[in-house]
Amino acid sequence: MLRRHRHWAAWAALLLSGCVAAAQPEPLAPAAEASRAEVRLHLPVEVTTLDPAETAEPAVLDVIGNLMEGLVAPGEGPGGAPTGAAAERWETADGRQFTFYIRTDARWSDGEPVTAHDFVRAWLHLLDPAVGAAHAYLLYDIAGAEAWNALDPAAPDFAEWSERLRAEVGVTALDDQRLQVTLRAPNPAWPAYTAHPALAPRREGVPFGAVSNGPFALAELSGSGQIRLVRNPHYWDRTAVTLGAVTYHVESDSQAALRLYEMGYLDLVILPGELATQVPGARAMAQPATMGLVFNTGQPRLADPALRRAISLALDRHEVAAAAGGSSAEAAVGIVPPSLEGGWTAAVRPGPSVLPADPAAGDRAEARRLWTEALAALGTERMTLRLLHAAEAAPAAQAVKRQLEETLEGLTLELHTVPFVQRLERVRYGQFDLVLQGWVADHDDPLLLLSQFTTAHPANGARWVNSEYDALITQAADQTGDARRSALAAAERLLLTEAPVVPLYHPVRHWAAHPDLEGVRYRPLGGRFDLKQAWRKGIPGPG
């Protein structure tokens, strides 16, 4: 926490000193009266940092995605090949070692060149175990990356081992223009992973975001709930950028945000499912994500897989999904979203010996049997568990509470609404019984999602330890094609059998945009609202 506050103070000082073109907040005016080429977007969360090493909030990544640019740009459509971004091209002879060529005209927003060294700096910062970045796992395919990131900063010999293992991470700047990356195993599709906003470059001596290399630059970050971006005049592809400015208006109240949209103050608003049905022309996109429960298996009373499976089987995911997002949320029968890798079919799910014929519906009779046996083994007849959740997840949490207390005699589930940052901290230090959280597939690859539950992974909030599972994930990382998929399917079956986590539903993202706002690229992964080629109908850009 202290590190985050020091970072924020330094950034604020830069804004005030004029290193970024800061501006005083202005009264909110209708979008139609705004700058000729400016749009206003809704941001549903308060922003405390734009540094991807300091936050895992998806909505913040949407902002970062318009400020910063990775080596490549995402492909268009399912399976679309990535295109050059900060790197104009890349090459590989074996699918394991890649050389990326940084554009000679790639520039930061102050005109300084973007170099291969900026990417090395960013990625090593993300991997540094002393930083504790949530997105470090995105780089685990790189040789030596996971071993360094998994070090315990509290270990007495940490400094010695950290220096040694950092030197073994397979990312090197051959010169200003050439970045060489060596993976731990061949993965020809790996360059596409570098499009994620968290893997953007980092300038030396400058807080992240104070200068940017993407289509827009930060002009204002005010305490009044507003972030303003302006067109980056030094961006290499600036002729493709039509908008002169983008303002993000922070509003956590969905009803209030919808009113602002209906009054013309916002061009785009993000909505929960129940409100989206009231808005003509509202859009929806299935998210490559899963919401579910995480057990603190480090607690002796939650260490028994039978007790955890009892709770899993007591839940009807259809009801939880309906409570969470209406008919637009899909009940989950596994951790991996069905949209990944061309369709993660039911064939990989556990059979009836683990889950009932309709896994999403649960099996209350079996749940009661396992629960009774588990309580008897603990020598108790009652148990109280605390469930941490976000305010917006309250309907789902209440559905979970109702079902569990109705089915499992002697169980009391206390619900605690906890802000995002506090939940991260409490999970990190094991200060919880259960937490309702989400897992987002940042790439079209089940491995990155399933690897989060390995013993040493920093995102393994469940503190689950299973050597067989670890071996399956390692096996998958070393394989391709059917062998890789088979190992991942076996790993997911084991995860569902042991139940350190309980998948509940796959969310759907809803939003509404003004008909005059065109050219926005909506993506399920990374920066989800790409404004690089957006424009307002009938209004020319800055040229």
Side-chain angles (χ1 to χ4, degrees):
M1 293 296 289
L2 184 59
R3 181 176 64 249
R4 181 177 296 112
H5 292 160
R6 287 203 301 266
H7 169 274
W8 189 246
W11 195 3
L14 272 174
L15 286 170
L16 293 173
S17 69
C19 291
V20 174
Q24 294 299 317
E26 298 179 358
L28 198 61
E33 298 175 9
S35 169
R36 288 173 58 81
E38 180 172 353
V39 296
R40 289 194 173 115
L41 275 63
H42 171 218
L43 196 64
V45 298
E46 187 175 335
V47 179
T48 58
T49 178
L50 288 175
D51 191 337
E54 300 283 348
T55 182
E57 172 55 59
V60 176
L61 288 174
D62 292 343
V63 181
I64 298 171
N66 286 304
L67 276 173
M68 309 296 287
E69 184 173 74
L71 292 171
V72 310
E76 296 303 319
T83 58
E88 61 182 350
R89 62 187 178 91
W90 55 94
E91 60 189 23
T92 181
D94 56 4
R96 183 170 181 265
Q97 187 172 85
F98 295 83
T99 301
F100 294 88
Y101 295 83
I102 308 300
R103 294 179 184 276
T104 56
D105 57 348
R107 293 286 186 273
W108 292 99
S109 52
D110 62 357
E112 289 295 309
V114 176
T115 71
H117 302 283
D118 296 326
F119 283 94
V120 173
R121 182 180 304 109
W123 294 4
L124 292 182
H125 181 78
L126 208 64
L127 286 169
D128 190 338
V131 172
H135 286 108
Y137 75 96
L138 295 175
L139 295 167
Y140 276 9
D141 269 4
I142 297 177
E146 184 173 7
W148 181 40
N149 184 248
L151 285 179
D152 182 0
D157 56 353
F158 170 73
E160 175 186 351
W161 276 101
S162 181
E163 183 177 357
R164 182 183 307 176
L165 293 180
R166 172 178 172 156
E168 296 176 1
V169 176
V171 55
T172 305
L174 300 177
D175 51 39
D176 283 354
Q177 251 54 62
R178 293 183 299 159
L179 178 72
Q180 186 178 84
V181 181
T182 304
L183 307 183
R184 59 186 177 185
N187 184 358
W190 190 81
Y193 295 3
T194 66
H196 195 283
L199 304 189
R202 181 178 292 265
R203 186 79 164 266
E204 184 175 15
V206 179
F208 190 94
V211 292
S212 60
N213 75 318
F216 297 95
L218 182 65
E220 177 189 342
L221 183 61
S222 74
S224 63
Q226 183 166 287
I227 300 172
R228 190 166 187 267
L229 314 183
V230 295
R231 185 171 179 261
N232 180 357
H234 297 286
Y235 179 52
W236 69 270
D237 196 22
R238 55 191 173 276
T239 57
V241 183
T242 298
L243 296 176
V246 178
T247 296
Y248 291 91
H249 181 78
V250 178
E251 178 54 74
S252 58
D253 186 321
S254 299
Q255 291 278 5
L258 178 56
R259 286 196 295 272
L260 291 173
Y261 173 76
E262 292 174 335
M263 294 168 64
Y265 293 129
L266 293 174
D267 294 294
L268 185 149
V269 62
I270 299 170
L271 300 168
E274 64 273 15
L275 284 183
T277 60
Q278 305 171 22
V279 182
R283 309 182 194 182
M285 178 182 289
Q287 298 299 287
T290 303
M291 291 294 296
L293 302 175
V294 178
F295 290 90
N296 184 353
T297 67
Q299 289 189 18
R301 61 180 182 159
L302 298 177
D304 182 3
L307 182 143
R308 302 193 300 262
R309 197 154 56 245
I311 290 177
S312 176
L313 290 171
L315 293 168
D316 185 327
R317 274 81 160 168
H318 297 296
E319 292 185 13
V320 177
S327 59
S328 61
E330 181 182 355
V333 297
I335 289 291
V336 179
S339 60
L340 282 196
E341 210 180 52
W344 193 251
T345 66
V348 305
R349 307 299 185 195
S353 61
V354 176
L355 294 176
D358 180 1
D363 184 338
R364 296 191 173 187
E366 179 65 5
R368 292 188 184 99
R369 184 187 70 79
L370 291 171
W371 177 254
T372 301
E373 291 179 358
L375 288 188
L378 291 170
T380 183
E381 295 181 350
R382 307 196 63 81
M383 182 179 291
T384 298
L385 297 174
R386 293 175 299 171
L387 172 62
L388 311 184
H389 65 89
E392 59 269 22
Q398 290 162 0
V400 168
K401 173 181 172 66
R402 182 178 63 255
Q403 290 187 36
L404 292 183
E405 290 183 347
E406 288 177 355
T407 304
L408 305 178
E409 185 176 356
L411 174 63
T412 299
L413 194 67
E414 297 178 352
L415 303 184
H416 294 261
T417 304
V418 181
F420 179 77
V421 173
Q422 291 184 26
R423 288 201 313 280
L424 283 182
E425 293 294 324
R426 291 178 67 171
V427 170
R428 180 179 180 183
Y429 294 107
Q431 299 170 350
F432 73 102
D433 300 328
L434 286 164
V435 62
L436 178 58
Q437 72 171 54
W439 301 277
V440 179
D442 291 291
H443 303 304
D444 189 20
D445 185 352
L447 175 64
L448 287 177
L449 195 153
L450 291 172
S451 65
Q452 295 182 49
F453 306 103
T454 53
T455 299
H457 201 289
N460 181 10
R463 289 167 165 73
W464 182 53
V465 178
N466 188 292
S467 59
E468 182 183 354
Y469 186 86
D470 293 350
L472 286 167
I473 295 299
T474 299
Q475 178 184 340
D478 292 336
Q479 302 289 336
T480 59
D482 289 343
R484 177 187 179 94
R485 187 178 177 88
S486 177
L488 290 173
E492 188 185 36
R493 285 195 294 271
L494 181 57
L495 186 68
L496 296 176
T497 302
E498 293 284 315
V501 296
V502 175
L504 296 175
Y505 62 93
H506 305 298
V508 173
R509 185 175 178 86
H510 300 268
W511 72 94
H514 193 279
D516 285 349
L517 178 59
E518 297 189 348
V520 180
R521 296 179 180 178
Y522 303 99
R523 296 191 176 97
L525 302 171
R528 297 169 295 183
F529 297 104
D530 183 347
L531 301 172
K532 176 179 175 177
Q533 296 183 347
W535 74 91
R536 290 181 61 186
K537 189 184 302 182
I539 299 179

